[in-house]
Amino acid sequence: QEMMKKQHIYTNGFATSCACLDSIRLSEQDGLKPLHYFPNPIPKTSGLMTTQSGLQEKEVYSVVFSEVRSQQVIDLHTHLLPPSHGALCLWGIDELLSYHYLVAEYFITAPASVSPDGFYKMSKKEQADLIWDALFIQRSPISEATRGVLTTLVALGLEAHVKARNLNAIRSYYDTFRSKGLSGIESFVEKVYQISGECHRHEFNISCVSHF
């Protein structure tokens, strides 16, 4: 509405430059919060910036589809954060197996000797070992949460290890990234997002689980 009415910084309405929107500071806006853009404004070559108004419906669809299709999209529900987030950057098979959906499923049939307090005192590796054995070895992994783990591993190219039920081999795969330190984690995060995009692009029969 501010752009339509050419209010505040939007004196040029919808023609307001991205640079203007990007460089604006809230303190300059009379206490009002304007639309704000990150430091990577829409390129001047973008169809959204060069196309004139008054298009037919099919032309609008074409422009919007082209723009959206060309963007790299990430799923914030992945819980996969970059290394810059420190301890919040959780990744690896042990983090996958100890995800709260799987923990809840594990305790449905967990032996009485394993209490929640005792479980959470264990290391991630120990928790993952219990869940792997209970939900993937002793029982068929047919729940949505367990199938999600399998889908993830297959998408990462670990189908042979999954068929062999070889948890240590799966851990070794992740260790190849972990051994490279920060650069290894960054390359893994990038790989996951790329694979996730490919999964959506090719519309797999079993959609890629978001929790890599």
Side-chain angles (χ1 to χ4, degrees):
Q1 290 183 1
E2 289 181 356
M3 296 182 97
M4 183 181 297
K5 296 178 181 179
K6 297 184 178 181
Q7 296 176 335
H8 309 300
I9 64 167
Y10 311 110
T11 55
N12 293 323
F14 289 104
T16 302
S17 70
C18 289
C20 175
L21 295 177
D22 173 49
S23 61
I24 193 67
R25 297 293 179 268
L26 299 185
S27 59
E28 302 171 7
Q29 296 312 301
D30 302 321
L32 297 176
K33 183 177 180 180
L35 293 174
H36 189 66
Y37 286 72
F38 285 108
N40 53 337
I42 302 174
K44 293 181 179 178
T45 56
S46 166
L48 290 177
M49 301 300 288
T50 59
T51 302
Q52 301 298 315
S53 61
L55 295 177
Q56 298 297 317
E57 181 179 350
K58 63 179 182 180
E59 294 172 314
V60 173
Y61 174 85
S62 177
V63 172
V64 173
F65 181 86
S66 176
E67 291 298 319
V68 173
R69 184 69 170 173
S70 65
Q71 300 307 308
Q72 181 179 17
V73 180
I74 63 174
D75 179 5
L76 295 180
H77 191 60
T78 56
H79 295 246
L80 181 69
L81 298 172
S84 59
H85 285 64
L88 293 178
C89 177
L90 303 178
W91 64 287
I93 185 60
D94 293 337
E95 293 292 347
L96 262 180
L97 292 173
S98 58
Y99 186 63
H100 65 90
Y101 284 0
L102 291 167
V103 172
E105 186 174 337
Y106 167 73
F107 272 107
I108 293 176
T109 58
S113 58
V114 181
S115 67
D117 287 342
F119 178 84
Y120 284 110
K121 288 179 181 178
M122 298 178 182
S123 66
K124 285 286 185 179
K125 183 177 183 298
E126 292 172 328
Q127 293 176 7
D129 284 336
L130 281 180
I131 292 174
W132 177 262
D133 182 68
L135 303 184
F136 294 84
I137 304 300
Q138 302 301 326
R139 296 172 181 81
S140 296
I142 59 176
S143 69
E144 181 179 359
T146 54
R147 286 188 294 113
V149 172
L150 297 181
T151 302
T152 299
L153 297 176
V154 170
L156 288 171
L158 304 178
E159 184 173 0
H161 297 332
V162 170
K163 288 182 177 180
R165 302 294 191 270
N166 193 334
L167 181 56
N168 287 329
I170 295 172
R171 284 191 174 118
S172 294
Y173 167 80
Y174 284 95
D175 287 342
T176 61
F177 293 94
R178 205 179 302 277
S179 64
K180 298 177 182 177
L182 181 61
S183 64
I185 300 176
E186 289 176 338
S187 63
F188 178 77
V189 170
E190 181 65 25
K191 179 182 180 70
V192 167
Y193 281 131
Q194 289 178 350
I195 292 175
S196 179
E198 288 299 318
C199 288
H200 289 296
R201 185 172 297 116
H202 295 296
E203 299 179 348
F204 284 178
N205 290 331
I206 303 178
S207 59
C208 282
V209 66
S210 60
H211 303 290
F212 277 85

